[in-house]
């Protein structure tokens, strides 16, 4: 596979079909997972699917029915709609209980505050009028909008989005509002946790270049799964270091940022925008370009492009190449290369393992003369010190 190097003036890096070639990205999403994975794979990424959570509808849940009946005991002044899927689920559940007409009448008379375009679209699809949507698509801005008004005596229904909005609801109640919490669905850990646990191990060991999150509960579920295996600190360190944490928006990023982890985010909270952000960020920040032995090398994720031809590498040769590329033109001792080999070979077999990794690396690269042997000292990339493309 030939790829266009990023200093090629033709084409947009974030939309090119090879923009993510060589990179491995973990995807924790459940809803619209295949759609999002396809967006990444069309750009050349290798995707590791590891759903972290599952959506549990509450159409027959006693709490949802009780909340709906409480909302219908009197006029509603405001209704906060946080998600489109949640609002549609609420309307469908009400129809199943024979309460859809009464609920629609109450919603028609209320101000409907929608957190974002998807929630607004669901409201309009139901034949209702939305009153206001925040520019930031955040619950925090909705809260501030309401708190700027006199809330004493107002009845406000808040549609939850999979987890309690404790601070949001408490602030409204403290301001004098009667708040009805509407738990339309909830998130639970995915039934089979083995893919997520494997992804955690891959992130810690450097087996993936990025992990993409599309909801805050997925972030929390991954951290909880790592905590259960005693790996939470190691996972957080990986996200704070070489592994990119990519979040669809600020709400999703909040649990990571609370742990001091920087999260890459698109300007708009959309799956397509998240895919484009990854396709721009990874090549800009996670690619090493060198000239070695007269050939152009572009190290990207789990692969290397040699003169524009992408060559996937197994973990050991890739680890060795990356360490050599850290010191272009300098000799790297076998003892140092031994420390980067996956699996931690024993001392007796370490030198042989390094030699095997070098042999496999040379074979994968193709042209000779890229990796040089310096007798009794180690190996080096055949480039002038600091030479770059």
């Amino acid at each position: 596979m030939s790829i266009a190097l990023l200093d090629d003036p033709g084409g947009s890096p974030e939309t090119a079909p090879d923009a993510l070639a060589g990179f491995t990205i973990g995807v924790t999403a459940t809803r619209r997972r295949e759609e999002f994975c396809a967006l990444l794979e069309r750009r050349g990424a290798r995707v590791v699917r590891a759903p972290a959570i599952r959506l549990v509808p509450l159409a027959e849940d006693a709490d949802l029915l009780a909340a709906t009946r409480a909302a219908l005991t009197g006029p509603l002044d405001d209704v906060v709609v946080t998600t489109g899927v949640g609002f549609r689920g609420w309307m469908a559940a009400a129809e199943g209980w024979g309460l859809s007409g009464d609920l629609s009448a109450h919603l028609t008379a209320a101000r409907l505050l929608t957190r974002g375009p998807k929630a607004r679209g669901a409201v309009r699809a139901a034949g209702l009028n939305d009153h206001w949507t925040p520019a930031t698509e955040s619950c925090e801005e909705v809260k501030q909008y309401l708190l700027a008004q006199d809330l004493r005596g107002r009845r406000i229904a808040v549609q939850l989005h999979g987890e309690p909005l404790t601070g949001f609801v408490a602030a409204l109640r403290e301001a004098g509002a009667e708040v009805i919490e509407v738990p339309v669905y909830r998130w639970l850990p995915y039934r089979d946790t083995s893919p997520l646990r494997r992804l955690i191990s891959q992130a810690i060991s450097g087996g993936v270049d990025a992990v993409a999150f599309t909801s805050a509960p997925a972030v929390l579920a991954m951290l909880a799964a790592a905590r259960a295996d005693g790996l939470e600190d190691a996972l957080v360190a990986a996200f704070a270091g070489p592994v990119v944490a990519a979040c669809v928006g600020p709400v999703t990023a909040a649990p990571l940022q609370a742990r001091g982890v920087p999260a890459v985010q698109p300007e708009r909270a959309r799956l397509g925008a998240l895919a484009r952000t990854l396709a721009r960020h990874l090549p800009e920040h996670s690619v090493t370009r060198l000239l070695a032995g007269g050939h152009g090398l572009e190290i990207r994720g789990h692969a290397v492009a040699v003169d524009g031809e992408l060559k996937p590498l197994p973990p050991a040769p890739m680890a060795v190449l990356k360490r050599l590329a850290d010191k272009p033109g300098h000799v790297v001792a076998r003892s140092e290369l031994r420390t980067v080999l996956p699996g931690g070979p024993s001392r007796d077999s370490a030198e042989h393992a390094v030699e095997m990794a070098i042999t496999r690396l040379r074979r994968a690269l193709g042209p000779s003369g890229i990796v040089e042997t310096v007798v009794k000292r180690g190996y080096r990339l055949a480039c002038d010190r600091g030479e770059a493309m």
Side-chain angles (χ1 to χ4, degrees):
M1 175 182 180
S2 296
I3 66 171
L5 301 182
L6 292 184
D7 55 1
D8 187 336
S12 171
E14 62 190 47
T15 58
D18 51 19
L20 289 172
F23 292 107
T24 302
I25 301 174
V27 172
T28 60
T30 302
R31 293 184 59 249
R32 302 177 67 188
R33 177 176 66 235
E34 293 309 317
E35 175 187 348
F36 182 53
C37 290
L39 289 173
L40 298 175
E41 289 171 340
R42 280 203 296 268
R43 291 169 168 84
R46 183 169 67 185
V47 175
V48 177
R49 292 164 171 81
I53 53 177
R54 55 192 171 100
L55 180 67
V56 180
L58 300 183
E60 299 180 4
D61 192 276
D63 291 342
L64 175 57
L65 178 57
T68 303
R69 286 175 172 166
L72 299 179
T73 59
L76 291 172
D77 297 296
D78 301 288
V79 177
V80 178
V81 182
T82 58
T83 64
V85 65
F87 184 77
R88 290 191 295 270
W90 189 17
M91 298 299 289
E95 183 176 5
W97 296 324
L99 299 175
S100 60
D102 199 4
L103 180 58
S104 294
H106 278 69
L107 296 177
T108 299
R111 297 190 311 174
L112 302 185
L113 311 178
T114 55
R115 183 171 66 94
K118 293 180 182 178
R120 183 175 60 209
V123 165
R124 293 179 179 178
L128 300 168
N129 295 319
D130 54 286
H131 175 74
W132 178 79
T133 302
T136 60
E137 303 181 25
S138 71
C139 287
E140 178 63 25
E141 190 173 352
V142 176
K143 182 181 74 174
Q144 295 303 327
Y145 176 85
L146 287 168
L147 292 177
Q149 306 164 43
D150 184 1
L151 298 183
R152 289 173 295 180
R154 293 186 73 85
R155 297 186 80 234
I156 304 176
V158 178
Q159 175 239 308
L160 306 180
H161 54 76
E163 57 185 4
L165 293 173
T166 306
F168 184 99
V169 170
L172 300 187
R173 286 174 175 159
E174 187 176 346
E178 176 190 349
V179 182
I180 300 105
E181 298 176 77
V182 183
V184 183
Y185 56 81
R186 64 176 177 265
W187 299 107
L188 293 176
Y190 202 72
R191 290 183 179 88
D192 181 5
T193 62
S194 55
L196 182 62
R197 294 172 68 186
R198 283 195 296 270
L199 178 58
I200 291 168
S201 297
Q202 288 176 286
I204 293 170
S205 66
V208 295
D209 303 293
V211 177
F213 298 99
T214 58
S215 72
V219 176
L220 295 170
M222 189 173 194
L223 291 173
R227 189 182 314 123
D229 289 339
L231 298 173
E232 184 178 14
D233 289 343
L235 178 62
V236 170
F239 282 140
V243 180
V244 174
C247 297
V248 74
V251 175
T252 300
L256 288 172
Q257 291 175 336
R259 299 294 305 270
V261 173
V264 174
Q265 303 174 51
E267 292 184 2
R268 299 185 68 226
R270 301 289 183 275
L271 292 182
L274 180 58
R276 289 191 296 274
T277 296
L278 279 165
R280 180 173 60 252
H281 180 87
L282 287 176
E284 287 180 356
H285 299 275
S286 302
V287 170
T288 300
R289 300 176 181 86
L290 299 166
L291 285 172
H295 299 278
L297 303 186
E298 187 173 289
I299 304 169
R300 36 194 304 133
H302 62 269
V304 56
V306 181
D307 297 330
E309 183 179 355
L310 192 70
K311 299 174 181 289
L313 290 178
M318 175 55 75
V320 167
L321 176 60
K322 287 182 175 179
R323 181 52 59 93
L324 294 174
D326 286 340
K327 303 176 180 180
H330 291 261
V331 178
V332 181
R334 289 183 178 86
S335 58
E336 183 176 344
L337 293 176
R338 183 177 63 209
T339 65
V340 303
L341 291 177
S346 66
R347 178 171 297 182
D348 292 339
S349 62
E351 186 166 333
H352 177 68
V354 171
E355 292 175 355
M356 288 298 298
I358 290 290
T359 299
R360 296 173 71 191
L361 173 60
R362 285 170 168 157
R363 185 182 303 125
L365 292 176
S368 61
I370 295 176
V371 178
E372 294 181 337
T373 300
V374 180
V375 179
K376 296 184 180 181
R377 292 181 60 195
Y379 303 92
R380 66 184 288 271
L381 288 179
C383 52
D384 293 335
R385 182 175 178 179
E387 186 177 14
M389 293 174 61

